[in-house]
Amino acid sequence: MKEDTSEPNESKQDLTRSADAASPALEDLQKAYNDLNSRYLRLAADFDNYRKRMAREIDARTTFAIEEFAVELLEVMDNFERAEKTERAGLPEGMEQIRKLFATILERHGIGPMECRNLPFDPERQEAIAYVPSDAREGTVIDEAIRGYCMQDKVIRYAKVVVSKGKEE
């Protein structure tokens, strides 16, 4: 019977020894976990700061681009004010020069008019405001009430057009 009582004591000692042996491994795992968690939190904070900085930079670039465009448009406004002060005889010439200047500024920024007249109606680039009988083929744009404009390849203002119904009988 003595042997039976000594075995539980020996197994308790073995458990204690194995727990003591596992304790440094457990501490190492805990340190590694804490290190990785700390690195993760720093990385998440860095990414959040990066995202906010990029948003501020994009906003600043947009504001600067709009400001630069506005300064160029002020040159057109100055020319209109000068034209108002001149003699009426030279007004048509001055207005034509201002129109050319304005078109040049728009062109510099990739903005240009769309050609519509005598072309088939395109609902992706035009808005029909009237459908009238004419000698032109049905579905052809016969007049442009308001010119449409594109910036690069994107329509920024749809042309308002009059479309032919064809010959009325």
Side-chain angles (χ1 to χ4, degrees), residues 12-152:
K12 282 183 184 177
Q13 287 176 350
D14 288 340
L15 286 175
T16 306
R17 280 187 213 128
S18 66
D20 288 342
S23 182
L26 184 61
E27 287 177 13
D28 289 343
L29 285 174
Q30 186 65 40
K31 285 180 184 177
Y33 169 79
N34 289 340
D35 181 49
L36 287 174
N37 192 39
S38 174
R39 286 174 49 195
Y40 165 76
L41 291 174
R42 281 194 302 274
L43 186 62
D46 286 345
F47 180 72
D48 191 45
N49 290 339
Y50 168 78
R51 187 179 48 79
K52 289 176 183 175
R53 186 176 64 246
M54 286 295 106
R56 281 192 309 269
E57 285 180 15
I58 288 171
D59 189 42
R61 281 188 207 145
T62 303
T63 301
F64 179 73
I66 291 170
E67 178 183 336
E68 188 177 296
F69 186 63
V71 167
E72 289 185 44
L73 291 180
L74 290 175
E75 186 178 337
V76 174
M77 182 60 81
D78 293 340
N79 286 333
F80 273 122
E81 289 172 357
R82 282 188 214 110
E84 288 175 343
K85 295 176 185 175
T86 63
E87 297 174 22
R88 298 290 177 210
L91 192 58
E93 289 175 9
M95 295 300 282
E96 180 60 24
Q97 289 175 352
I98 292 170
R99 190 195 61 73
K100 286 179 182 177
L101 172 66
F102 191 65
T104 302
I105 291 171
L106 291 176
E107 198 174 289
R108 220 178 305 156
H109 290 278
I111 300 170
M114 294 187 294
E115 291 300 320
C116 297
R117 277 201 179 96
N118 302 320
L119 295 173
F121 175 72
D122 180 1
E124 292 183 11
R125 301 171 62 88
Q126 302 156 355
E127 180 182 332
I129 59 171
Y131 193 57
V132 298
S134 78
D135 292 336
R137 203 172 48 159
E138 183 179 3
T140 302
V141 174
I142 57 173
D143 194 17
E144 186 177 54
I146 297 177
R147 181 167 263 184
Y149 286 88
C150 288
M151 183 173 200
Q152 310 308 345

